[in-house]
Amino acid sequence: MLRYMSLRNREALTGVIFALPWLLGFCIFRVYAIITVIYYSLTDFKVFAPPEWIGLVNYQELFRSDPLFYRSLSNTFYYVAFSIPLGIIVAFLLAELLNQKVKGMALFRTIFYLPSIVPIVASSMLWLWILNPNFGLLNAFLSKLGLPAPNWFGSPVWSKPALILMSIWGIGGTMIIFLAGLQDIPQQLYEAAELDGAGVFQKFFRITIPMMTPTLFFSLVMGIIGGFQTFTQAFIMTQGGPAYSTLFYALYLYNNAFRYFKMGYASSQALVLLVIIMILTLTVVSTSKRWVYYAGRS
Amino acid sequence: MGLLCRKVLGFRHERGVVPVANFNASLLGSKKKREALGRGIAYLLLITLSVIFAFPLFWLLSTSLKPDTQIFMFPPKLIPNPIVWQNYIKVLPLLRFRVTVVNSLVIAFGEVMGTVISSSLVAYSFARLRWPGRDILFVALLSTMMIPYAVTMIPIFIVFNKLGWINTFKPLIVPSFLGNAFYIFLLRQFFLTIPTDLSDAARIDGCSELGIYWRIVLPLSKSTVAVVAIFAFLNGWNDFLGPLIYLNDQNKWTLSLALHAMRSAQIGEINWSGIMAGSAMMTVPIIILFFFTQKSFIQGITLTGLKE
C-alpha cells in the first residue's frame, strides 16, 4: 500500500513538473493578466507613470461620452455579421463542390486553400492594389461589365464590404474543415435516402446539413471570436478610415493603448470586449442545443 | 441517423428485395446521365471559381514583374512585357531585406522550438500522467482559447516593459516556451491514442517518465509534432501585431513590419511593383513550405476543426 501511494505521488509530482511551463504561462498570461487588466481599467494609467486609481471613470467616459467607442463597436458588429455567415456559406459550398467525384481535386483544393496562408501583411497590400479605385483590377473588370465601380477604401459605404470581400478570399481553412466534415458523413445515409426516393435537395437539407451542424457550430463560434479581433487589415489598409468607417474595436483599442498611451482607458475597453465575446459565445452555445446534432451522442 | 438506416432496411425487408432491384435497373440509364450532367456542372463551377480565387495571387506576381510604365495602365495589362526581375533586386534595400528576413526567421524558429518542446511536455502530462486537479485545469486550458489577444495584451506589455524586454525578441519567443493551449490540446488528443502498454513495459524496464516521453511517445507522434511545428512557424512568420507592439528599433524589425513601413513611408505615387515584389517574397516561402508539407498541413487544419 505504501509503495502504491509513493508511486502515485511520484507520478503526480512528475505530472505537475511536466505541466509546469503551461501552469506558469496560465498564471502569468491568463490569471494575472486578467486581474491586472481589471485593475488597470479602474485607473488612469499613462505607461510612464504608475497607475492612478479613478474608479469607474473610464467606463463612464466609454459609455457616456465616447462616440468612437460606439462607432468601433457598430463597425465590428457590421463586419462580423456579414463576413462570418457569408464566409461560412462560401466555405460550405466550396467544400460541397470539392466533395464531388471529379478529377484534379488535389489541384482545386490547393487553389482554394492557398489564399488563406498568404501572410496578412502581403494580402493587405495585394487587396489595396486590386481595389484601387483608379487602376485596380476589380474596377476594371466591373466597368467592363458595365457595372458601377465603387471607390472602395475611399468611401465609408464601401470600405467595410471591401474588407469582407477580402476575408472571403481567405476562407480556405474553414473550407478544408468543412470538407473533412463532409467526408466523415457515412455514405450509407445517402444510399438509404436514395432508396427512399430522396432528391438532391432533400439529401442536402435532411442529411448533409444536420450531420454538419457540429462543424458549423464550431466555425461560427471561432469565427465570431476571430472577427472581433480584426485588426491588421484595417491597420495596414485604412488606418480606420475613411470617416472612421473601418475603425474596428481592436484597432481603436490598439490606438488608445499604443498610440495615445491611455492604458487604463484601453484596459476598460479590453474588458468590455471580453464581456461581449462571452455573451455572444454563450448565446450561440445555449441555442446550439436546438440545432446542433451530435450523431450517436445524446 | 442510425434510425433512418434501420427504417430503410426495414422497408426493404417488408416489400422484398426484388421489386427494389428492378426499380433501380430501370432508372440506371437516366441516373448515369444525371451524374454525368452533375459532374459537368461541378467542373464548370470549379474551374470558374478557381480562376477567381487564383487571380489575386497571379496579379501579385504579375504586378511585381511589371515595368513602371505598365503599372498604372487602364484597363490593366495582365502579363508584364518585358518582365522586370529588377523590381525584386530594387526592393531588397528598401525592406532592408538581409536584416529583416533574418529577424523574421529567428522569431519564427524560436517560436517553433518553444512551442514544440513545451506544448508536447505539457500535453504528455495531461494525456498520460495522473495528478490532482488535472482535469479541472484541462477545462481551464480549453476555455483560455476563447480569450482574445486584445484582452490580455496590455498587462503583458507592461510586464515585458518592466522586465526591459521591449526592443528584443524575448516577448515574441519566450511566451511560446510556456505552452500554447491549442497545440497542447492537439498533441494531447494524439498522445491519448498511443497504447499505454508500451509505456508500462518501459516503466517496468526502469525507464523514467522523461525517457518514455522522449523515446516512445514523441517518436510515435512525429506527424502531429510536425503539424504543430508548421503552424508555429506560420504564426511567427506571419505575425504583425506582436512585432508592431514590441519592436521599435529598425534593426529589430521583421519582414512584415518593413513591408508595412515601406508602404506607409511613401507619399504621392506608391511604388506598387516594389510592394508587390516584397509581398511576393513574404508569401513564396510559405507557399513552398505548403507544397513540401501538404499532408501535415491539411491534417492540421482538419484537426483544428475537430475540437468541439
Side-chain angles (χ1 to χ4, degrees), chain A residues 8 11-12 14-16 18-19 21-26 28-30 32-34 36-37 40 45 47 90 94 97-98 100-103 105 108-115 117-122 125-130 132 134-137 139-140 143 168-169 171 173 176-177 180 184 188-189 192-196 206-207 210-211 214-215 218 221-222 225 229 231-232 235-237 239 253-254 257-258 263 266-267 270 273-274 277 281 293-294 297, chain B residues 1-2 4-5 8 11-12 20 24 31 39 42-43 45-47 49-50 52-57 59-60 63 71-76 78 118 121-122 124-126 128-132 137 140-141 144-162 175 177-181 184 209-210 213 234 237-238 240-241 244-245 256 259-260 263 272 275-276 279 282-283 286-287 290-291 294 297-298 301-302 304-308:
Chain A
R8 267 202 87 138
E11 183 179 335
T14 322
V16 174
F18 276 29
W22 176 75
L23 288 172
L24 207 65
F26 177 69
I28 302 168
F29 299 133
R30 301 299 173 187
Y32 170 80
I34 288 183
T36 320
V37 86
Y40 287 160
F45 185 16
V47 194
V90 171
L94 286 180
L97 262 179
L98 288 174
Q100 308 298 312
K101 287 184 193 72
V102 293
K103 279 183 195 132
M105 206 37 96
F108 289 123
R109 209 165 68 172
T110 307
I111 290 175
F112 292 130
Y113 180 63
L114 274 187
I117 54 169
V118 174
I120 185 124
V121 182
M125 299 297 171
L126 172 61
W127 281 90
L128 214 47
W129 178 227
I130 288 176
N132 183 300
N134 299 319
F135 309 101
L137 190 66
N139 278 4
S143 60
I168 301 294
W169 183 62
I171 208 66
I176 296 284
I177 294 173
D184 278 346
Q188 308 96 280
L189 294 178
E194 258 168 55
L195 284 175
D196 268 356
R206 296 281 170 81
I207 299 175
M211 290 300 281
T215 315
F218 171 77
V221 172
M222 284 327 215
I225 295 173
Q229 300 187 66
F231 169 80
T232 309
F235 180 85
I236 291 176
M237 298 166 88
Q239 292 281 335
L253 199 162
Y254 169 88
F258 296 101
M263 292 283 179
S267 295
L273 176 68
L274 184 63
I277 287 192
T281 308
Y293 172 81
Y294 292 101
R297 270 172 284 170
Chain B
M1 280 303 141
L4 182 66
C5 285
V8 174
F11 161 85
R12 285 180 71 183
V20 174
N24 260 356
K31 198 186 168 194
R39 242 202 299 277
Y43 267 124
L45 278 172
L46 277 170
I47 291 168
L49 289 171
S50 43
I52 295 173
F53 268 73
F55 219 85
L57 281 181
W59 194 237
L60 175 72
T63 311
I71 299 270
F72 296 106
M73 269 186 162
F74 199 88
L78 291 186
S118 65
L121 259 179
V122 178
Y124 181 86
S125 172
F126 273 116
R128 304 179 74 97
L129 296 171
R130 275 158 305 167
W131 41 281
L137 281 170
L141 176 126
T144 57
M145 286 198 264
M146 303 266 179
I147 301 172
Y149 184 72
V151 171
T152 53
M153 176 171 77
I154 292 167
I156 295 172
F157 175 83
I158 302 290
V159 168
F160 289 144
N161 190 27
K162 278 183 188 154
F177 280 87
L178 298 184
N180 170 299
I184 293 171
E209 280 309 324
L210 203 62
Y213 154 80
L234 269 189
W237 181 264
N238 291 357
F240 181 76
L241 181 54
L244 181 71
I245 293 175
S256 54
L259 188 59
H260 166 68
R263 190 191 89 85
W272 283 108
I275 286 175
M276 290 302 126
S279 302
M282 265 206 88
T283 308
I286 297 294
I287 291 181
F290 172 74
F291 277 106
Q294 226 182 86
F297 230 111
I298 300 292
I301 313 281
T302 311
T304 313
L306 292 182
K307 49 165 188 169
E308 285 154 6

Side-chain angles (χ1 to χ4, degrees), chain A residues 18 21-22 29, chain B residues 106-124 141 171-188 191 213-214 218 224-237:
Chain A
F18 276 29
W22 176 75
F29 299 133
Chain B
V106 168
I107 291 170
F109 278 114
E111 214 173 308
V112 171
M113 283 274 293
T115 306
V116 168
I117 294 171
S118 65
S119 296
S120 64
L121 259 179
V122 178
Y124 181 86
L141 176 126
L172 302 169
I173 297 175
V174 173
S176 64
F177 280 87
L178 298 184
N180 170 299
F182 177 58
Y183 302 130
I184 293 171
F185 172 78
L186 273 191
L187 288 161
R188 171 192 177 262
F191 291 168
Y213 154 80
W214 184 250
L218 265 197
T224 314
V225 172
V227 168
V228 169
I230 293 164
F231 275 50
F233 182 84
L234 269 189
N235 243 3
W237 181 264

Side-chain angles (χ1 to χ4, degrees), chain A residues 162-175:
Chain A
L163 288 172
I164 291 166
L165 188 70
M166 178 183 150
S167 78
I168 301 294
W169 183 62
I171 208 66
T174 314
M175 176 198 77

Side-chain angles (χ1 to χ4, degrees), chain B residues 94 261-272 274-275:
Chain B
L94 293 174
M262 183 183 147
R263 190 191 89 85
S264 51
Q266 288 160 355
I267 306 154
E269 198 133 300
I270 293 169
N271 172 11
W272 283 108
I275 286 175

